[in-house]
Structures are given as structure tokens and as C-alpha cells.
Amino acid sequence: GDSVTQTEGLVTLTEGLPVMLNCTYQTIYSNPFLFWYVQHLNESPRLLLKSFTDNKRTEHQGFHATLHKSSSSFHLQKSSAQLSDSALYYCALSSNNRIFFGDGTQLVVKP
Amino acid sequence: DTTVKQNPRYKLARVGKPVNLICSQTMNHDTMYWYQKKPNQAPKLLLFYYDKILNREADTFEKFQSSRPNNSFCSLYIGSAGLEYSAMYLCASSAGTGSGNTLYFGEGSRLIVV
């Protein structure tokens, strides 16, 4: 069945360093939509960015991700982490009118 | 306004008792979802309404019921709560069920079953 894998449960890094959160997916559908949702403390999850197009970089609020269908990946990156980036990040897959989430990666950015 | 509201925010229930959670949205979205979220786990899709059509996931089919009396409201009903139902329940809405539609989440209803 459809699934999303986020290998890191917790990522801790120092402000100013690059961020990379891993996401791979599994689906039988050839045209999935992939999303990154972010949840800050005491808030509900909200969309960060999404993509449908193979090998095209998508950017929003300093973050970017590229859907690679060949490797079934949609890793989230940012060149320089900020303290305010500390949050829980979910990768999600949309297929057959359903949206499936990964377990989430908690990003902690320290001064 | 992209607000999805959930009530109650916190619910304490006894084992074997019913639980009813409410969600509302004012964005005229035709699709509303219910997810169950436990610590360190992915939000798990329980069911969703597309307009008046209810779709329930196979593995939770018998555990949860739902109703959608109008476009703005959707409920999640547990007939007899068990300890395993303790979780955060997230409601979300979207404009349609197309693959690229964004989910707008409520703040969640935290259910504790004792």
C-alpha cells in the first residue's frame, strides 16, 4: 500500500547550518502529489510546500524540495537554519483521494 | 478565513462510554477529514467526507462513525471508548479530493480514555 518514510525522528543542529530532512515514499500510482507540512508548538499542521512535477525544485519560505520519482524521494532542504524553524515536519503523499503522512521529523535548531 | 475549529479541545472519557467530537469550517470546503494522532506516530486517516459521501478506512471501519449534517460541520463518534482510543484527533478540510489539494487543520481534540 501507500506509505511515507521519514528516517529521522529528531534532527538537532546549530543555527546557520544547512537543513536536510529525508522523505521517501511508496505508491502504486505514477503521479503522486508530495507535501511537506510543518507544525509549530501549540499550533496545527500547515502546508509548507508541495510538488507534483518530477525533477522540479519547489520553494517556499526559504525551504525547498525536489520530487525525484526515480528514487521516490522528496527531501526537504534549507541552506541556513533559523531558530524559528524548530518544529515538527511531516512529509505526506496524496494518492487515490487520500493523504498519507510520515511519522514526522522533529527539528530542533540551537543558537 | 482559513479556520477549522474543533470541539471540545480536551475530552476525558470513561472506558465503554461514547465520545462525540465536532469539527466546523467556514471555507465552504467540500471535503472534511478525521485523523488520529498518537505520540511519535504518523497522523492516521480514519475517514473523510466528500460532500455527503463518507469514506472510511478499512482498518478503522467499525470503530468510528461520522456524520455531516451540512457542508460546514462534521462529527466523529466513538460508540464505546477503549483505552486505545486515547489520542489527538485532527480534523482537516480541503477544496475537493484532488491529489494536490491542501489540507487545512484544526487545533485538534485531545481524548484521554480512563
Side-chain angles (χ1 to χ4, degrees), chain A residues 5-109:
Chain A
T5 300
Q6 295 180 248
T7 52
E8 310 104 344
L10 172 66
V11 171
T12 303
L13 47 77
T14 303
E15 187 179 19
L17 291 181
V19 178
M20 181 162 173
L21 306 184
N22 291 316
C23 173
T24 56
Y25 64 90
Q26 186 174 353
T27 181
I28 63 172
Y29 295 97
S30 58
N31 296 307
F33 240 104
L34 271 294
F35 306 78
W36 277 99
Y37 282 83
V38 58
Q39 184 175 18
H40 289 272
L41 190 63
N42 297 324
E43 297 181 8
S44 36
R46 62 172 176 82
L47 180 70
L48 180 58
L49 50 79
K50 62 183 179 182
S51 182
F52 171 78
T53 307
D54 198 12
N55 297 317
K56 181 180 179 182
R57 175 171 162 146
T58 299
E59 299 188 34
H60 187 62
Q61 295 183 337
F63 287 90
H64 63 91
T66 303
L67 176 59
H68 292 296
K69 292 184 180 181
S70 60
S71 58
S72 298
S73 67
F74 191 58
H75 306 318
L76 182 67
Q77 299 182 68
K78 188 177 185 184
S79 59
S80 176
Q82 298 177 290
L83 296 176
S84 58
D85 294 330
S86 294
L88 181 58
Y89 292 81
Y90 289 106
C91 183
L93 161 73
S94 177
S95 70
N96 195 26
N97 298 329
R98 288 161 167 79
I99 299 179
F100 300 94
F101 287 83
D103 289 345
T105 297
Q106 183 72 48
L107 175 64
V108 176
V109 181

Side-chain angles (χ1 to χ4, degrees), chain B residues 4 15 18 24 49 56 62 64 71 75 79 88 99 114:
Chain B
V4 178
V15 170
S24 65
Y49 263 99
R56 288 190 283 182
E62 297 180 348
F64 299 92
N71 178 271
S75 68
M88 175 73 83
S99 293
V114 297

Side-chain angles (χ1 to χ4, degrees), chain A residues 37 39 42-47, chain B residues 1-9 21-35 68 71-76 88-95 102-109:
Chain A
Y37 282 83
Q39 184 175 18
N42 297 324
E43 297 181 8
S44 36
R46 62 172 176 82
L47 180 70
Chain B
D1 182 12
T2 56
T3 301
V4 178
K5 293 190 180 298
Q6 294 187 236
N7 286 293
R9 294 288 310 280
L21 306 177
I22 303 295
C23 178
S24 65
Q25 50 92 11
T26 57
M27 296 171 279
N28 201 33
H29 283 168
D30 49 18
T31 309
M32 296 184 74
Y33 304 80
W34 281 100
Y35 285 85
R68 192 175 186 187
N71 178 271
S72 299
F73 288 87
C74 187
S75 68
L76 181 69
M88 175 73 83
Y89 289 85
L90 295 170
C91 175
S93 70
S94 71
T102 299
L103 292 184
Y104 295 88
F105 283 91
E107 293 179 308
S109 293

Side-chain angles (χ1 to χ4, degrees), chain B residues 34-93:
Chain B
W34 281 100
Y35 285 85
Q36 181 190 64
K37 174 73 174 73
K38 294 185 176 182
N40 302 314
Q41 296 183 19
K44 177 183 172 60
L45 179 64
L46 300 176
L47 53 87
F48 68 95
Y49 263 99
Y50 173 61
D51 195 14
K52 292 180 172 59
I53 300 171
L54 174 62
N55 298 268
R56 288 190 283 182
E57 294 300 285
D59 57 346
T60 57
F61 190 85
E62 297 180 348
K63 296 181 179 180
F64 299 92
Q65 297 175 41
S66 183
S67 67
R68 192 175 186 187
N70 56 57
N71 178 271
S72 299
F73 288 87
C74 187
S75 68
L76 181 69
Y77 181 76
I78 301 168
S80 177
L83 296 175
E84 71 276 16
Y85 288 86
S86 292
M88 175 73 83
Y89 289 85
L90 295 170
C91 175
S93 70

